[in-house]
Amino acid sequence: MSQPSQHQIPDTLLLEERARHVLNAIIGMADEDYNYIPFFNADFVSKPAFMTHGDWDYGSSHGRLIDSVTLARHMTGEMFGEDVERHYKENLLSFFKEDGLSYRQVSRQGNWGEAANLIDQRAVILSLTTWYMATGDPAVQEAADKHVAALK
């Protein structure tokens, strides 16, 4: 069997290798100057390319990224970026209000107010489920229980 050139797909695709790339991207999206809120948008056409924030920065992005980082760590055993992951998790939990819903925050970079957007809630419950299954953390279970009750 010949070695694949850089333009061929290898005979064996190792998902663990792809998951390492995903983990690297997730950790690299953190905006350290903005309390580790991950960037949401990227403009690759501009010279130079740049990343921006949007109203999806909160429950939606945090939820999907926490779910993904948890699964990527499970697949790879990689532990780099744990400090950023911790910030993502702290941020996510800070978005909850007493009613049990996750709220988008008022942003310095957007024209939106605080809101419990429904599409964010699906990413939030996804992340809480994966996070709890991976750690058994009682604080995560409590947040998930309140969240499910609020959605019901």
Side-chain angles (χ1 to χ4, degrees), residues 13 17 24-25 43 60 65 72-73 83 87-89 91 98 104 108 120 127-128 132-133 140 150:
L13 182 65
E17 291 176 1
N24 185 57
D43 182 342
S60 184
L65 294 177
R73 288 196 192 291
D83 55 329
H87 284 287
Y88 286 170
K89 289 176 174 179
N91 286 341
E98 285 299 316
R104 292 182 180 187
R108 65 181 182 201
D120 294 354
S127 68
L128 292 174
Y132 177 74
M133 290 183 73
V140 176

Side-chain angles (χ1 to χ4, degrees), residues 56-67 88-89 91-97 100-105 115-132 140 143-148 150-151:
W56 296 70
D57 285 353
Y58 303 100
S60 184
S61 285
H62 279 79
R64 289 180 287 123
L65 294 177
I66 290 168
D67 175 62
Y88 286 170
K89 289 176 174 179
N91 286 341
L92 179 73
L93 293 178
S94 76
F95 303 151
F96 285 99
K97 292 202 177 253
L101 296 175
S102 177
Y103 282 76
R104 292 182 180 187
Q105 307 298 295
N117 191 296
L118 188 56
I119 200 164
D120 294 354
Q121 309 311 314
R122 59 108 186 126
V124 167
I125 195 63
L126 175 68
S127 68
L128 292 174
T129 302
T130 307
W131 181 3
Y132 177 74
V140 176
D145 288 345
K146 287 175 76 174
H147 191 246
V148 168
L151 291 171

Side-chain angles (χ1 to χ4, degrees), residues 13-29 65 68-69 72-73 75-76 78 80:
L13 182 65
L14 297 177
L15 295 179
E16 296 86 350
E17 291 176 1
R18 301 298 194 255
R20 282 186 189 89
H21 293 299
V22 168
L23 185 57
N24 185 57
I26 291 168
I27 299 305
M29 291 171 62
L65 294 177
S68 298
V69 76
R73 288 196 192 291
M75 289 177 70
T76 65
E78 293 286 352
F80 69 89

